[in-house]
């Protein structure tokens, strides 16, 4: 998609998210984080040190939580950035699982109170029987992992629109 902002066109590579104040946030080319005002003017722009995916604004409109967009030869990570100017607030580097790096599989989702952020990660082993997905629950203030769940089996029943999940808790 393309967004016009004060006569400029940016090609977007991530979904944009909109804060409660109407500011739009998006990442271009995996390393350019932008904040646009409601009139389309640029509020701020930051060149990122690493490849990052789509930002999601918390319900309190204080931070963006973004998953990495690295290749699998690099450790995945989750980062929080200030909505004020994009500076890094905290970062969680994802541990290797069974010798494989994790990658971010979803955009962040927040608890209604904004105190916890949730993301799904996974390993790609090349074999569906050994690749594993994980759900991370993060303290949005500190970026500490409050829990990680390994999904061992999932089945979706289309007739009943029901998702059944089996998982194990790692008790971080």
């Amino acid at each position: 998609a393309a967004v016009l902002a004060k006569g400029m066109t940016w090609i977007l590579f991530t979904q944009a998210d909109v804060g409660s104040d109407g500011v739009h946030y998006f990442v271009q080319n995996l390393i350019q984080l932008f904040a646009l005002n409601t009139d389309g003017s640029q509020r701020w722009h930051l060149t990122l040190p690493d490849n990052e995916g789509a930002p999601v604004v918390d319900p309190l409109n204080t931070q963006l939580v973004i998953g990495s967009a690295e290749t699998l030869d690099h450790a995945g990570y989750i980062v929080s950035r200030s909505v004020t100017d994009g500076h890094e607030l905290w970062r969680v580097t994802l541990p290797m699982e069974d010798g494989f790096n994790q990658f971010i599989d979803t955009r962040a989702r927040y608890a209604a109170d904004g105190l916890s952020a949730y993301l799904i990660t996974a390993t790609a082993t090349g074999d569906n029987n050994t690749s594993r997905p994980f759900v991370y629950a993060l303290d949005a203030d500190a970026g500490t992992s409050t829990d990680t769940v390994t999904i061992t089996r999932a089945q979706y029943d289309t007739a009943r629109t029901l998702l059944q999940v089996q998982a194990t808790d790692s008790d971080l």
Side-chain angles (χ1 to χ4, degrees):
V3 173
L4 292 178
K6 293 282 184 181
M8 298 179 72
T9 301
W10 287 306
I11 303 302
L12 302 183
F13 290 95
T14 68
Q15 280 183 288
D17 199 21
V18 182
S20 59
D21 59 357
V23 174
H24 287 63
Y25 303 92
F26 65 91
V27 173
Q28 176 196 8
N29 295 337
L30 302 176
I31 60 166
Q32 304 295 326
L33 177 60
F34 287 89
L36 300 181
N37 293 309
T38 56
D39 66 358
S41 63
Q42 182 176 302
R43 178 172 282 199
W44 53 261
H45 162 252
L46 177 69
T47 299
L48 302 167
D50 302 301
N51 295 337
E52 296 183 8
V56 178
V57 186
D58 73 337
L60 306 173
N61 209 50
T62 60
Q63 67 179 315
L64 307 168
V65 170
I66 308 170
S68 63
E70 295 290 347
T71 54
L72 291 176
D73 59 337
H74 294 87
Y77 62 87
I78 301 164
V79 65
S80 169
R81 297 192 171 279
S82 170
V83 297
T84 305
D85 59 8
H87 75 272
E88 189 171 306
L89 300 172
W90 51 258
R91 176 182 292 240
V92 174
T93 301
L94 302 173
M96 290 186 89
E97 292 290 340
D98 297 324
F100 294 92
N101 285 321
Q102 294 182 60
F103 63 92
I104 306 299
D105 197 36
T106 63
R107 296 174 70 200
R109 295 292 175 253
Y110 290 95
D113 61 10
L115 300 179
S116 297
Y118 303 91
L119 289 98
I120 295 176
T121 69
T123 58
T125 65
D127 179 351
N128 285 340
N129 294 319
T130 58
S131 294
R132 296 282 180 253
F134 305 88
V135 178
Y136 277 80
L138 301 169
D139 176 332
D141 284 335
T144 54
S145 184
T146 58
D147 201 6
T148 304
V149 175
T150 304
I151 300 171
T152 57
R153 184 172 177 273
Q155 182 175 359
Y156 183 70
D157 182 337
T158 55
R160 296 175 44 201
T161 62
L162 175 69
L163 176 64
Q164 296 177 314
V165 176
Q166 291 178 336
T168 58
D169 188 346
S170 68
D171 286 321
L172 292 175

